[in-house]
Amino acid sequence: MRVRNLTIGLLTGMTLMTGHSEASPLDDLRWKNRVLVVVAPAGDAAAEQQRKIYQASAAGMSERAIVLREAVGDGDPARQIRSRLSADGQRFQVFLIGKDGHTALSSDKPLSADHLFAKVDAMPMRRDEMRRAR
């Protein structure tokens, strides 16, 4: 009975997971990278500020496997990302997505590199990465 219930639960979960008709452009990055996602209307000043923070800290971002993706405009990839994050794109939002695909952090203001690095460095997977690098 327990095995049957477990099997039914696993099959139901797999069906729900594969039932998404629109794959997010973020899916290819899962288990490879952490993703800093900027959602904003075109020309948003906060989005530009977040972009500059990312670029100015490129070495630290690379060390932590953080890649930048933007969901700006009306193209399919931007819409898919906004849908995945339940963001409307009418205002600035930034999300840090962990390698496991879950949202680790979100804000309506640009995030400093120090804040991002502290958050990532506290993640169990990152701590394991640092331990293995020694």
Side-chain angles (χ1 to χ4, degrees), residues 3-108:
V3 173
R4 182 175 162 259
N5 289 342
L6 178 61
T7 303
I8 291 170
L10 288 172
L11 290 174
T12 301
M14 289 171 59
T15 302
L16 291 173
M17 288 177 13
T18 59
H20 296 283
S21 60
E22 286 188 39
S24 167
L26 304 177
D27 292 345
D28 291 341
L29 300 170
R30 185 173 288 168
W31 302 116
K32 298 174 193 165
N33 296 99
R34 294 171 184 93
V35 188
L36 185 65
V37 180
V38 172
V39 176
D44 187 83
E48 180 61 29
Q49 183 181 0
Q50 189 68 69
R51 201 174 298 118
K52 287 178 181 178
I53 290 168
Y54 180 85
Q55 292 167 348
S57 304
M61 299 291 180
S62 177
E63 178 184 331
R64 291 164 179 85
I66 302 172
V67 296
L68 178 66
R69 293 295 181 264
E70 296 185 21
V72 177
D74 290 327
D76 281 341
R79 279 197 304 270
Q80 291 168 351
I81 290 171
R82 286 193 301 268
S83 175
R84 153 85 166 68
L85 298 170
S86 299
D88 62 16
Q90 301 300 310
R91 60 189 173 90
F92 174 84
Q93 292 176 282
V94 62
F95 301 86
L96 176 63
I97 311 298
K99 285 186 175 183
D100 61 359
H102 288 92
T103 301
L105 180 64
S106 63
S107 177
D108 59 355

